[in-house]
Amino acid sequence: MIDFEGKGFVDVDVDPSLDLFAEIEKLKKEKNAVILAHYYQEPDIQDIADYIGDSLGLARSAAKTDADIIVFAGVHFMAETAKILNPGKKVLIPDLKAGCSLSDSCPPELFRRFKDKHPNHIVISYINCSAEIKALSDIICTSSNAKDIVDSLPKEQKIIFAPDKNLGAYINKVTGRDMVLWNGACMVHEIFSLEKITRLKERHKNAKLIAHPECEEPILRIADFVGSTTALLQYTQKDSASEFIVATESGILHKMIEASPGKTFIAAPPDNACACNDCPHMKRNTLEKVYNCLLYEQPELLMAEELRLAARKPIDRMLELSN
Ligand code: 13P
Ligand code: SF4
């Protein structure tokens, strides 16, 4: 047994002369494994993946795969969702410590107390939360179906929306609701500088600003289009503009450039000089870690059955409502 407990990943040196793309393909076939990757993964991982998508697409793909092993190249809550939906599969995650600042901003005990203070409210939780928070929720949503899910409830229904206050505020605005918002946020989407983006727009008059709804309201207010990662990608393919300023994690640029090689994509600038629009959690995964996790079949994502069943109900509700 390879020890990964302390580090969160299989810490075995990989022979640098190996062609990792070929080795991973071989292992996938031998083990009947599938690699699901989020758009925020590094380009090499996106290129070796069998399916790349937004959270909703990834959840659907995990639910229906007939592979024996799912390697989830994303963050912990995404791999949890795969296990919740398809418990018979071995779900591997290249680095168990690939977490999510948004998910971490909602500790279950504090959320339970928050819920108790708001009786008669239905809890809608964004999929970027732990299995424990899902188990405390009535319906899960993603950035691509949040509006439809909220719209499906009667106007007078009181709602708690967790954990992302920015997505919640955006959904309040587009649905005319007044949902009670948990005060959580994503460290990557809160870093964009309104001032720098405004200056960039001045210099690139024909560029369209496209933004993920986890961004703060001032950015969303000036955006030409707001949507999930898949929706943003599709927009850049269909829209006639040839330049886009992209306000989300920079990994998505890989697919945008691939899909529209003649167009220009500019990563929206953060409010300091660092590469803060790289998600440090998503970027913990590397091709070497994907290879090792497939080779050693570790780390495996495991979950208590009671928690899995409780977390599954609100996800099923989402899938029913967003068919
Ligand atoms: P999407 O569902 O739009 O891919 O968003 C996932 C995410 O983590 C955004 O930060
Ligand atoms: Fe979480 Fe933000 Fe990273 Fe998405 S980009 S995984 S919300 S920390």
Side-chain angles (χ1 to χ4, degrees):
M1 165 114 175
I2 304 293
D3 175 35
F4 61 82
E5 293 298 341
K7 302 225 172 192
F9 59 93
V10 177
D11 189 18
V12 174
D13 287 342
V14 175
D15 176 354
S17 68
L18 278 183
D19 175 352
L20 284 187
F21 289 94
E23 293 300 321
I24 290 172
E25 283 301 344
K26 207 160 78 191
L27 285 171
K28 278 201 296 194
K29 281 201 191 81
E30 270 170 34
K31 298 183 180 226
N32 188 25
V34 73
I35 299 180
L36 308 184
H38 189 264
Y39 290 115
Y40 297 165
Q41 292 296 285
E42 62 172 45
D44 281 351
I45 297 180
Q46 293 191 38
D47 291 346
I48 197 79
D50 298 284
Y51 177 83
I52 311 173
D54 65 6
S55 304
L56 183 61
L58 287 163
R60 285 196 172 123
S61 180
K64 67 170 194 245
T65 184
D66 48 20
D68 296 316
I69 295 179
I70 299 173
V71 176
F72 211 110
V75 290
H76 195 268
F77 76 80
M78 295 179 171
E80 274 188 339
T81 305
K83 188 70 186 175
I84 291 165
L85 286 168
N86 211 338
K89 309 298 177 188
K90 186 180 254 190
V91 177
L92 304 173
I93 177 162
D95 189 328
L96 264 180
K97 290 191 179 172
C100 168
S101 64
L102 177 53
S103 175
D104 291 347
S105 68
C106 195
E109 214 23 71
L110 291 184
F111 188 64
R112 195 189 297 275
R113 278 186 248 155
F114 183 77
K115 242 184 94 168
D116 288 345
K117 282 196 198 133
H118 299 90
N120 309 321
H121 284 61
I122 274 193
V123 177
I124 301 182
S125 291
Y126 185 34
I127 198 162
N128 295 34
C129 64
S130 63
E132 287 79 3
I133 295 296
K134 289 185 174 76
L136 291 168
S137 307
D138 298 294
I139 316 177
I140 297 302
C141 72
T142 73
S143 52
S144 55
N145 61 22
K147 179 179 179 300
D148 290 346
I149 285 187
V150 171
D151 277 340
S152 75
L153 300 176
K155 275 276 172 218
E156 59 285 359
Q157 176 64 57
K158 292 178 179 168
I159 303 171
I160 292 175
F161 188 88
D164 189 5
K165 63 177 179 192
N166 293 318
L167 175 62
Y170 174 71
I171 299 298
N172 269 344
K173 188 173 159 185
V174 294
T175 60
R177 302 269 179 157
D178 186 20
M179 300 186 293
V180 178
L181 308 180
W182 176 263
N183 187 20
C186 158
M187 63 194 279
V188 179
H189 289 86
E190 285 216 313
I191 204 81
F192 297 114
S193 158
L194 180 63
E195 207 183 310
K196 286 187 193 166
I197 291 177
T198 309
R199 282 208 299 269
L200 202 56
K201 273 175 72 105
E202 279 300 309
R203 288 207 306 278
H204 299 262
K205 291 252 188 279
N206 296 322
K208 294 255 174 91
L209 171 66
I210 58 173
H212 194 279
E214 285 174 26
C215 293
E216 290 176 310
E217 197 274 335
I219 307 281
L220 297 179
R221 197 182 333 131
I222 61 163
D224 296 289
F225 180 73
V226 176
S228 77
T229 49
T230 296
L232 294 177
L233 173 63
Q234 288 171 349
Y235 182 81
T236 61
Q237 289 172 273
K238 287 189 193 134
D239 193 76
S240 60
S242 58
E243 251 189 319
F244 298 90
I245 301 167
V246 184
T248 190
E249 212 269 0
S250 58
I252 186 84
L253 266 67
H254 178 59
K255 280 287 153 208
M256 287 178 174
I257 294 165
E258 201 176 270
S260 308
K263 298 187 179 182
T264 304
F265 299 95
I266 308 166
D271 62 7
N272 53 31
C274 75
C276 303
N277 46 354
D278 265 351
C279 170
H281 308 289
M282 287 279 183
K283 296 302 196 287
R284 282 185 78 93
N285 296 329
T286 61
L287 203 59
E288 285 75 12
K289 287 182 188 172
V290 170
Y291 170 71
N292 270 344
C293 104
L294 198 45
L295 183 64
Y296 296 103
E297 299 187 20
Q298 286 175 54
E300 181 179 357
L301 196 135
L302 300 167
M303 193 181 297
E305 186 60 4
E306 202 183 333
L307 174 61
R308 190 189 72 77
L309 290 173
R312 170 135 193 171
K313 270 197 218 153
I315 302 179
D316 281 345
R317 209 62 215 272
M318 166 182 84
L319 294 173
E320 282 157 25
L321 288 171
S322 59
N323 269 338

